[in-house]
Amino acid sequence: MKIAMVGSGYVGLVSGACLADFGHDVVCIDKDPAKIASLLDGVMPIYEPGLAELVGANVRAGRLAFTTDLAAGIEGASAIFIAVGTPSRRGDGHADLTFVYEVAREVGANLKTPATIVTKSTVPVGTGDEVERIIGEAKPGVEFAVVSNPEFLREGAAISDFKRPDRIVIGAESEFGRQVMSEVYRPLFLNKAPILFTARRSAELIKYAANAFLATKITFINEMADLCEKVGADVQDVSRGIGLDGRIGPKFLHAGPGYGGSCFPKDTLALLKTAEDYDSPTRIVEAVVKVNDSRKRAMGRKVVEALGGDARGKKVAMLGLTFKPNTDDMRDSPSIAIAQALDDAGAKVVAYDPEGMELAKPLMPEVAMAANPYEAIEGADAIVIVTEWDAFRALDLKRVKDIAKAPVLVDLRNVYDPAELRAEGFTYVSVGRV
Ligand code: UDX
Protein backbone atom coordinates (compact mmCIF):
# COMPACT_ATOMS: atom_id res chain seq x y z
CA MET A 1 0.00 0.00 0.00
CA LYS A 2 1.23 3.48 -0.77
CA ILE A 3 1.26 5.77 2.27
CA ALA A 4 2.08 9.47 2.50
CA MET A 5 3.21 10.94 5.82
CA VAL A 6 2.86 14.70 5.92
CA GLY A 7 5.15 16.12 8.61
CA SER A 8 8.51 14.47 9.23
CA GLY A 9 8.98 15.47 12.85
CA TYR A 10 9.13 13.07 15.71
CA VAL A 11 5.80 11.32 15.22
CA GLY A 12 5.81 11.43 11.40
CA LEU A 13 9.30 10.10 11.04
CA VAL A 14 8.92 7.26 13.52
CA SER A 15 5.51 6.28 12.13
CA GLY A 16 6.70 6.55 8.52
CA ALA A 17 9.80 4.44 9.13
CA CYS A 18 7.83 1.78 11.03
CA LEU A 19 5.09 1.59 8.38
CA ALA A 20 7.79 1.19 5.71
CA ASP A 21 9.30 -1.57 7.83
CA PHE A 22 5.90 -3.32 7.77
CA GLY A 23 6.34 -3.47 3.97
CA HIS A 24 4.33 -0.42 2.91
CA ASP A 25 5.60 2.04 0.35
CA VAL A 26 6.02 5.28 2.35
CA VAL A 27 6.83 8.86 1.35
CA CYS A 28 7.63 11.26 4.20
CA ILE A 29 6.85 14.87 3.32
CA ASP A 30 8.00 18.02 5.07
CA LYS A 31 7.99 21.64 3.99
CA ASP A 32 11.36 22.26 5.68
CA PRO A 33 13.94 21.72 2.89
CA ALA A 34 16.84 21.53 5.38
CA LYS A 35 15.13 18.69 7.24
CA ILE A 36 14.42 16.74 4.05
CA ALA A 37 17.96 17.33 2.76
CA SER A 38 19.47 16.00 5.96
CA LEU A 39 17.12 12.98 5.97
CA LEU A 40 18.17 12.24 2.38
CA ASP A 41 21.77 12.30 3.71
CA GLY A 42 20.78 9.80 6.41
CA VAL A 43 21.06 12.39 9.22
CA MET A 44 18.17 12.26 11.72
CA PRO A 45 16.73 15.59 12.92
CA ILE A 46 16.03 14.08 16.37
CA TYR A 47 17.69 11.62 18.69
CA GLU A 48 15.68 8.40 19.01
CA PRO A 49 17.33 5.04 19.66
CA GLY A 50 17.22 2.76 16.58
CA LEU A 51 15.65 5.36 14.27
CA ALA A 52 18.66 6.07 12.03
CA GLU A 53 19.14 2.33 11.42
CA LEU A 54 15.44 1.77 10.70
CA VAL A 55 15.27 4.72 8.30
CA GLY A 56 18.51 3.67 6.56
CA ALA A 57 17.41 0.07 6.08
CA ASN A 58 14.03 1.05 4.62
CA VAL A 59 15.49 3.71 2.33
CA ARG A 60 17.93 1.09 1.01
CA ALA A 61 15.08 -1.36 0.52
CA GLY A 62 13.29 1.27 -1.59
CA ARG A 63 10.28 1.47 0.74
CA LEU A 64 10.94 4.89 2.28
CA ALA A 65 11.43 8.19 0.44
CA PHE A 66 11.52 11.87 1.43
CA THR A 67 10.28 14.96 -0.36
CA THR A 68 9.23 18.56 0.18
CA ASP A 69 6.65 18.26 -2.62
CA LEU A 70 3.27 17.45 -1.07
CA ALA A 71 1.37 17.18 -4.37
CA ALA A 72 3.86 14.62 -5.74
CA GLY A 73 4.22 12.84 -2.39
CA ILE A 74 0.51 12.12 -1.96
CA GLU A 75 -0.01 10.98 -5.55
CA GLY A 76 -1.66 7.57 -5.57
CA ALA A 77 -1.44 7.21 -1.76
CA SER A 78 -4.30 5.22 -0.21
CA ALA A 79 -3.56 6.65 3.24
CA ILE A 80 -2.37 10.21 3.82
CA PHE A 81 -1.28 10.79 7.40
CA ILE A 82 -1.21 14.27 8.89
CA ALA A 83 1.55 14.29 11.50
CA VAL A 84 2.42 17.97 11.76
CA GLY A 85 2.95 19.85 15.02
CA THR A 86 0.07 21.16 17.15
CA PRO A 87 1.89 23.44 19.60
CA SER A 88 0.12 25.25 22.44
CA ARG A 89 -1.22 28.49 21.03
CA ARG A 90 0.47 31.42 22.68
CA GLY A 91 -1.71 33.01 25.31
CA ASP A 92 -4.56 30.56 25.73
CA GLY A 93 -3.15 27.01 25.67
CA HIS A 94 -5.46 25.92 22.83
CA ALA A 95 -3.81 23.49 20.39
CA ASP A 96 -2.68 25.53 17.39
CA LEU A 97 -4.20 23.84 14.33
CA THR A 98 -2.79 26.16 11.68
CA PHE A 99 -0.46 23.50 10.27
CA VAL A 100 -3.10 20.76 10.31
CA TYR A 101 -5.58 22.90 8.37
CA GLU A 102 -2.89 24.08 5.94
CA VAL A 103 -2.12 20.45 5.09
CA ALA A 104 -5.84 19.65 4.75
CA ARG A 105 -6.22 22.49 2.24
CA GLU A 106 -3.21 21.34 0.22
CA VAL A 107 -4.35 17.72 0.29
CA GLY A 108 -7.82 18.77 -0.86
CA ALA A 109 -6.37 20.76 -3.74
CA ASN A 110 -4.16 17.90 -4.92
CA LEU A 111 -6.18 14.75 -4.28
CA LYS A 112 -6.71 12.78 -7.50
CA THR A 113 -7.32 9.20 -6.32
CA PRO A 114 -9.48 7.84 -3.46
CA ALA A 115 -7.71 8.18 -0.13
CA THR A 116 -8.14 8.07 3.61
CA ILE A 117 -6.75 11.10 5.41
CA VAL A 118 -5.51 10.12 8.84
CA THR A 119 -5.00 12.64 11.61
CA LYS A 120 -2.10 11.44 13.73
CA SER A 121 -1.26 14.83 15.21
CA THR A 122 -2.83 15.31 18.62
CA VAL A 123 -5.87 17.41 17.85
CA PRO A 124 -8.88 18.57 19.86
CA VAL A 125 -12.24 16.91 19.56
CA GLY A 126 -13.99 17.99 16.38
CA THR A 127 -10.84 18.65 14.34
CA GLY A 128 -11.58 15.65 12.10
CA ASP A 129 -14.93 17.24 11.18
CA GLU A 130 -13.16 20.45 10.19
CA VAL A 131 -10.48 18.59 8.18
CA GLU A 132 -13.26 16.76 6.35
CA ARG A 133 -15.05 20.05 5.65
CA ILE A 134 -11.86 21.70 4.33
CA ILE A 135 -11.03 18.81 2.00
CA GLY A 136 -14.65 18.59 0.85
CA GLU A 137 -14.64 22.31 0.05
CA ALA A 138 -11.81 21.73 -2.43
CA LYS A 139 -14.17 19.33 -4.28
CA PRO A 140 -11.55 16.69 -5.06
CA GLY A 141 -14.10 14.62 -7.01
CA VAL A 142 -12.86 11.32 -5.55
CA GLU A 143 -13.96 9.32 -2.54
CA PHE A 144 -12.19 10.22 0.66
CA ALA A 145 -12.51 9.56 4.39
CA VAL A 146 -11.05 11.39 7.36
CA VAL A 147 -10.11 9.22 10.32
CA SER A 148 -8.43 9.85 13.66
CA ASN A 149 -5.54 7.59 14.65
CA PRO A 150 -3.81 9.05 17.72
CA GLU A 151 -0.27 8.03 18.57
CA PHE A 152 0.84 6.76 21.96
CA LEU A 153 4.59 6.83 21.38
CA ARG A 154 6.98 7.45 24.24
CA GLU A 155 10.15 9.26 23.28
CA GLY A 156 13.11 6.94 23.69
CA ALA A 157 10.91 3.88 23.14
CA ALA A 158 8.94 5.11 20.15
CA ILE A 159 9.85 2.35 17.70
CA SER A 160 8.92 -0.49 20.02
CA ASP A 161 5.77 1.41 21.07
CA PHE A 162 4.78 1.64 17.40
CA LYS A 163 5.58 -1.96 16.59
CA ARG A 164 4.26 -3.51 19.80
CA PRO A 165 1.46 -1.20 20.86
CA ASP A 166 -0.88 -1.80 23.81
CA ARG A 167 -3.65 -0.84 21.40
CA ILE A 168 -4.35 0.96 18.15
CA VAL A 169 -7.21 3.43 18.19
CA ILE A 170 -9.02 4.23 14.95
CA GLY A 171 -11.84 6.75 14.92
CA ALA A 172 -13.65 6.38 11.59
CA GLU A 173 -17.07 7.38 10.35
CA SER A 174 -17.17 5.22 7.20
CA GLU A 175 -16.51 1.65 6.13
CA PHE A 176 -14.11 2.95 3.47
CA GLY A 177 -11.92 4.58 6.15
CA ARG A 178 -12.07 1.53 8.43
CA GLN A 179 -11.01 -0.78 5.61
CA VAL A 180 -8.00 1.30 4.61
CA MET A 181 -6.86 1.52 8.24
CA SER A 182 -7.22 -2.25 8.70
CA GLU A 183 -4.92 -2.63 5.71
CA VAL A 184 -2.39 -0.12 7.09
CA TYR A 185 -2.15 -1.97 10.42
CA ARG A 186 -2.62 -5.52 9.09
CA PRO A 187 0.88 -6.62 10.21
CA LEU A 188 -0.01 -5.63 13.77
CA PHE A 189 -3.41 -7.26 13.47
CA LEU A 190 -1.58 -10.49 12.79
CA ASN A 191 0.46 -9.88 15.97
CA LYS A 192 -2.86 -9.68 17.83
CA ALA A 193 -2.42 -6.04 18.82
CA PRO A 194 -5.90 -4.90 19.85
CA ILE A 195 -7.43 -2.50 17.35
CA LEU A 196 -10.19 -0.38 18.72
CA PHE A 197 -12.57 1.10 16.18
CA THR A 198 -14.54 4.04 17.54
CA ALA A 199 -16.35 7.12 16.36
CA ARG A 200 -13.92 9.85 15.27
CA ARG A 201 -14.67 12.18 18.19
CA SER A 202 -14.14 9.35 20.69
CA ALA A 203 -10.72 8.59 19.22
CA GLU A 204 -9.75 12.26 19.44
CA LEU A 205 -10.76 12.35 23.08
CA ILE A 206 -9.06 9.03 23.92
CA LYS A 207 -5.67 10.59 23.22
CA TYR A 208 -6.23 13.54 25.56
CA ALA A 209 -7.89 11.40 28.22
CA ALA A 210 -4.98 8.92 28.19
CA ASN A 211 -2.34 11.60 28.58
CA ALA A 212 -4.32 13.51 31.20
CA PHE A 213 -4.84 10.31 33.17
CA LEU A 214 -1.12 9.47 33.08
CA ALA A 215 -0.24 13.03 34.10
CA THR A 216 -2.71 12.68 36.96
CA LYS A 217 -1.17 9.41 38.08
CA ILE A 218 2.30 10.97 38.20
CA THR A 219 1.05 14.07 39.99
CA PHE A 220 -0.83 11.96 42.51
CA ILE A 221 2.27 10.01 43.47
CA ASN A 222 4.31 13.22 43.59
CA GLU A 223 1.93 14.64 46.17
CA MET A 224 2.04 11.35 48.07
CA ALA A 225 5.84 11.68 48.03
CA ASP A 226 5.61 15.09 49.70
CA LEU A 227 3.30 13.61 52.30
CA CYS A 228 5.69 10.67 52.81
CA GLU A 229 8.47 13.11 53.65
CA LYS A 230 6.26 14.76 56.26
CA VAL A 231 4.98 11.58 57.90
CA GLY A 232 8.17 9.55 57.63
CA ALA A 233 6.98 7.03 55.02
CA ASP A 234 8.71 5.76 51.87
CA VAL A 235 7.03 6.62 48.57
CA GLN A 236 8.61 3.70 46.73
CA ASP A 237 6.95 1.31 49.18
CA VAL A 238 3.69 3.21 48.84
CA SER A 239 3.92 2.98 45.01
CA ARG A 240 4.55 -0.72 45.17
CA GLY A 241 1.85 -1.22 47.76
CA ILE A 242 -0.81 0.48 45.66
CA GLY A 243 0.56 -0.56 42.26
CA LEU A 244 0.18 -4.27 43.00
CA ASP A 245 -3.56 -3.68 43.03
CA GLY A 246 -4.45 -4.67 39.47
CA ARG A 247 -6.98 -1.85 39.29
CA ILE A 248 -4.23 0.72 39.90
CA GLY A 249 -1.22 -0.87 38.17
CA PRO A 250 2.47 -0.32 38.91
CA LYS A 251 3.43 1.97 36.02
CA PHE A 252 3.71 5.76 36.12
CA LEU A 253 4.01 5.80 39.87
CA HIS A 254 7.60 7.02 40.09
CA ALA A 255 7.77 10.17 42.14
CA GLY A 256 10.06 12.83 40.73
CA PRO A 257 10.47 16.51 39.90
CA GLY A 258 7.22 16.71 37.89
CA TYR A 259 6.36 15.64 34.37
CA GLY A 260 7.65 17.48 31.31
CA GLY A 261 8.05 16.74 27.62
CA SER A 262 6.25 17.48 24.41
CA CYS A 263 2.93 15.87 25.31
CA PHE A 264 1.70 15.94 28.89
CA PRO A 265 2.06 19.70 29.53
CA LYS A 266 0.59 20.66 26.15
CA ASP A 267 -2.16 18.04 26.04
CA THR A 268 -3.42 18.65 29.57
CA LEU A 269 -3.73 22.37 28.77
CA ALA A 270 -5.52 21.66 25.50
CA LEU A 271 -7.95 19.32 27.29
CA LEU A 272 -8.72 22.06 29.81
CA LYS A 273 -9.52 24.43 26.94
CA THR A 274 -11.81 21.92 25.25
CA ALA A 275 -13.56 21.26 28.56
CA GLU A 276 -14.01 24.99 29.06
CA ASP A 277 -15.33 25.50 25.53
CA TYR A 278 -17.93 22.77 26.09
CA ASP A 279 -18.74 24.08 29.56
CA SER A 280 -17.77 20.79 31.17
CA PRO A 281 -14.92 21.61 33.55
CA THR A 282 -12.32 18.94 34.32
CA ARG A 283 -11.28 20.07 37.80
CA ILE A 284 -8.97 17.14 38.43
CA VAL A 285 -6.90 17.98 35.37
CA GLU A 286 -6.93 21.67 36.35
CA ALA A 287 -5.40 20.73 39.69
CA VAL A 288 -2.85 18.43 38.04
CA VAL A 289 -1.60 21.23 35.79
CA LYS A 290 -1.26 23.67 38.70
CA VAL A 291 0.40 21.17 41.04
CA ASN A 292 2.90 20.07 38.40
CA ASP A 293 3.80 23.65 37.47
CA SER A 294 4.56 24.68 41.00
CA ARG A 295 6.42 21.45 41.71
CA LYS A 296 9.25 22.19 39.29
CA ARG A 297 10.29 25.39 41.04
CA ALA A 298 9.76 23.77 44.42
CA MET A 299 12.48 21.28 43.46
CA GLY A 300 14.86 24.23 43.14
CA ARG A 301 13.96 25.22 46.70
CA LYS A 302 14.65 21.66 47.81
CA VAL A 303 18.22 22.04 46.55
CA VAL A 304 18.58 25.41 48.31
CA GLU A 305 17.44 23.76 51.55
CA ALA A 306 20.05 21.03 51.07
CA LEU A 307 22.61 23.84 50.74
CA GLY A 308 21.64 24.96 54.24
CA GLY A 309 19.07 27.52 53.10
CA ASP A 310 21.47 29.91 51.41
CA ALA A 311 22.59 29.31 47.83
CA ARG A 312 24.37 32.61 47.26
CA GLY A 313 27.75 32.09 45.62
CA LYS A 314 27.42 28.30 45.83
CA LYS A 315 28.07 25.95 42.95
CA VAL A 316 25.42 23.38 42.04
CA ALA A 317 26.21 20.48 39.68
CA MET A 318 23.08 19.60 37.71
CA LEU A 319 23.11 16.09 36.28
CA GLY A 320 20.53 15.63 33.54
CA LEU A 321 18.65 18.34 31.65
CA THR A 322 16.25 16.55 29.29
CA PHE A 323 12.71 15.86 30.53
CA LYS A 324 13.55 12.15 30.66
CA PRO A 325 16.47 9.91 29.61
CA ASN A 326 17.22 8.65 26.08
CA THR A 327 16.09 11.79 24.32
CA ASP A 328 17.57 15.21 23.58
CA ASP A 329 14.16 16.79 24.08
CA MET A 330 14.14 19.77 26.42
CA ARG A 331 10.51 20.77 26.01
CA ASP A 332 8.99 21.71 29.36
CA SER A 333 11.78 19.89 31.16
CA PRO A 334 11.73 20.41 34.94
CA SER A 335 15.45 21.27 34.70
CA ILE A 336 14.57 24.65 33.18
CA ALA A 337 12.52 25.83 36.17
CA ILE A 338 14.95 24.26 38.66
CA ALA A 339 17.96 26.00 37.08
CA GLN A 340 16.03 29.27 37.06
CA ALA A 341 15.09 28.92 40.73
CA LEU A 342 18.70 28.17 41.66
CA ASP A 343 19.95 31.12 39.64
CA ASP A 344 17.38 33.37 41.32
CA ALA A 345 18.67 32.14 44.68
CA GLY A 346 22.19 33.20 43.73
CA ALA A 347 23.70 29.80 42.92
CA LYS A 348 26.01 29.09 39.99
CA VAL A 349 24.75 26.06 38.08
CA VAL A 350 27.07 23.83 36.04
CA ALA A 351 25.23 21.10 34.13
CA TYR A 352 25.94 17.96 32.21
CA ASP A 353 23.56 15.92 30.04
CA PRO A 354 24.54 13.14 27.62
CA GLU A 355 22.28 14.40 24.78
CA GLY A 356 20.43 17.55 25.80
CA MET A 357 23.07 20.27 26.18
CA GLU A 358 22.84 21.74 22.68
CA LEU A 359 19.10 22.28 22.90
CA ALA A 360 19.37 23.33 26.56
CA LYS A 361 21.88 26.15 26.06
CA PRO A 362 19.49 28.75 24.64
CA LEU A 363 16.84 27.84 27.24
CA MET A 364 19.15 28.35 30.20
CA PRO A 365 21.78 30.93 29.30
CA GLU A 366 22.69 31.33 32.98
CA VAL A 367 23.89 27.70 33.18
CA ALA A 368 27.44 26.60 32.29
CA MET A 369 27.77 23.24 30.51
CA ALA A 370 30.40 20.65 31.46
CA ALA A 371 32.06 18.00 29.29
CA ASN A 372 31.20 15.14 31.67
CA PRO A 373 29.51 14.58 35.04
CA TYR A 374 32.76 14.82 36.99
CA GLU A 375 33.68 18.17 35.47
CA ALA A 376 30.28 19.47 36.63
CA ILE A 377 30.78 18.00 40.11
CA GLU A 378 34.31 19.41 40.60
CA GLY A 379 34.14 21.91 43.47
CA ALA A 380 30.33 21.71 43.76
CA ASP A 381 28.55 22.53 47.02
CA ALA A 382 25.66 20.27 45.97
CA ILE A 383 24.85 17.82 43.19
CA VAL A 384 21.30 17.45 41.87
CA ILE A 385 20.17 14.56 39.69
CA VAL A 386 17.30 15.85 37.55
CA THR A 387 17.14 13.15 34.84
CA GLU A 388 17.76 9.45 35.45
CA TRP A 389 20.24 8.77 32.63
CA ASP A 390 22.06 5.44 33.08
CA ALA A 391 25.34 7.37 33.27
CA PHE A 392 24.21 8.84 36.61
CA ARG A 393 23.11 5.53 38.12
CA ALA A 394 26.65 4.29 38.43
CA LEU A 395 28.67 7.34 39.43
CA ASP A 396 32.06 6.62 41.01
CA LEU A 397 30.93 7.78 44.46
CA LYS A 398 34.44 7.86 45.95
CA ARG A 399 35.60 10.12 43.13
CA VAL A 400 32.49 12.27 43.50
CA LYS A 401 33.18 12.72 47.21
CA ASP A 402 36.80 13.59 46.53
CA ILE A 403 36.19 16.24 43.91
CA ALA A 404 32.99 17.86 45.24
CA LYS A 405 33.43 20.66 47.73
CA ALA A 406 30.69 19.11 49.89
CA PRO A 407 29.18 15.62 49.48
CA VAL A 408 25.58 16.80 49.20
CA LEU A 409 23.43 14.83 46.72
CA VAL A 410 19.84 15.78 45.89
CA ASP A 411 18.44 12.85 43.96
CA LEU A 412 15.16 13.97 42.35
CA ARG A 413 14.69 10.58 40.61
CA ASN A 414 15.34 8.29 43.59
CA VAL A 415 18.15 6.56 41.72
CA TYR A 416 20.30 5.77 44.77
CA ASP A 417 19.72 3.89 47.99
CA PRO A 418 19.59 6.35 50.91
CA ALA A 419 21.30 4.00 53.41
CA GLU A 420 24.14 3.26 51.00
CA LEU A 421 24.75 6.91 50.20
CA ARG A 422 24.74 7.90 53.84
CA ALA A 423 27.16 5.07 54.62
CA GLU A 424 29.44 6.57 51.94
CA GLY A 425 29.34 9.83 53.87
CA PHE A 426 26.93 11.76 51.69
CA THR A 427 24.26 14.17 52.84
CA TYR A 428 21.53 12.58 50.74
CA VAL A 429 18.11 14.03 49.93
CA SER A 430 15.63 12.28 47.64
CA VAL A 431 11.91 12.46 46.83
CA GLY A 432 9.40 10.98 49.26
CA ARG A 433 11.97 8.99 51.24
CA VAL A 434 13.53 9.90 54.56
C1 UDX B 1 4.04 10.54 26.74
C2 UDX B 1 3.11 9.31 26.73
O1 UDX B 1 3.68 8.27 27.54
C3 UDX B 1 2.87 8.84 25.32
O2 UDX B 1 1.95 7.76 25.33
C4 UDX B 1 2.28 10.01 24.55
O3 UDX B 1 1.96 9.67 23.24
C5 UDX B 1 3.24 11.19 24.57
O4 UDX B 1 3.50 11.55 25.92
P1 UDX B 1 6.65 10.99 26.58
O5 UDX B 1 6.30 12.43 26.71
O6 UDX B 1 7.64 10.57 25.57
O7 UDX B 1 5.33 10.14 26.29
O8 UDX B 1 7.23 10.53 27.98
P2 UDX B 1 6.82 9.64 29.24
O9 UDX B 1 7.75 8.50 29.33
O10 UDX B 1 5.39 9.33 29.26
O11 UDX B 1 7.18 10.65 30.43
C6 UDX B 1 6.59 11.94 30.55
C7 UDX B 1 7.09 12.67 31.76
O12 UDX B 1 6.59 12.08 32.95
C8 UDX B 1 8.61 12.68 31.92
O13 UDX B 1 9.00 13.96 32.35
C9 UDX B 1 8.87 11.62 32.97
O14 UDX B 1 10.06 11.84 33.68
C10 UDX B 1 7.65 11.80 33.84
N1 UDX B 1 7.30 10.60 34.62
C11 UDX B 1 6.85 9.48 33.98
C12 UDX B 1 7.38 10.62 35.99
O15 UDX B 1 7.79 11.63 36.61
N2 UDX B 1 7.01 9.50 36.70
C13 UDX B 1 6.55 8.38 36.08
O16 UDX B 1 6.22 7.42 36.80
C14 UDX B 1 6.48 8.36 34.68
Side-chain angles (χ1 to χ4, degrees), residues 151-155 207 211 214 218 252-254 258-260 262-264 323-324 413:
E151 52 85 13
F152 303 102
L153 308 176
R154 284 166 305 163
E155 291 185 19
K207 167 70 189 201
N211 276 352
L214 293 170
I218 297 168
F252 275 69
L253 286 177
H254 300 292
Y259 61 78
S262 61
C263 289
F264 290 169
F323 80 99
K324 67 175 198 176
R413 297 289 183 169

Side-chain angles (χ1 to χ4, degrees), residues 156-171:
I159 293 170
S160 67
D161 280 355
F162 194 97
K163 290 189 163 182
R164 284 175 287 282
D166 287 343
R167 81 304 204 183
I168 298 153
V169 174
I170 313 269

Side-chain angles (χ1 to χ4, degrees), residues 104-164:
R105 268 188 291 277
E106 253 194 278
V107 167
N110 292 287
L111 200 61
K112 297 194 184 82
T113 48
T116 294
I117 292 82
V118 191
T119 322
K120 209 164 222 344
S121 305
T122 299
V123 293
V125 180
T127 304
D129 302 357
E130 186 61 12
V131 169
E132 185 170 290
R133 196 190 58 74
I134 292 173
I135 298 176
E137 242 175 32
K139 301 205 185 329
V142 291
E143 187 177 8
F144 75 93
V146 174
V147 311
S148 161
N149 170 217
E151 52 85 13
F152 303 102
L153 308 176
R154 284 166 305 163
E155 291 185 19
I159 293 170
S160 67
D161 280 355
F162 194 97
K163 290 189 163 182
R164 284 175 287 282

Side-chain angles (χ1 to χ4, degrees), residues 23-44:
H24 296 306
D25 181 10
V26 180
V27 181
C28 284
I29 304 161
D30 203 288
K31 64 178 182 187
D32 178 355
K35 190 182 275 180
I36 292 297
S38 87
L39 282 166
L40 288 169
D41 280 344
V43 180
M44 297 301 110

Side-chain angles (χ1 to χ4, degrees), residues 50 67 97 152 155 193 248 301 404:
T67 182
L97 297 172
F152 303 102
E155 291 185 19
I248 296 174
R301 291 198 293 277

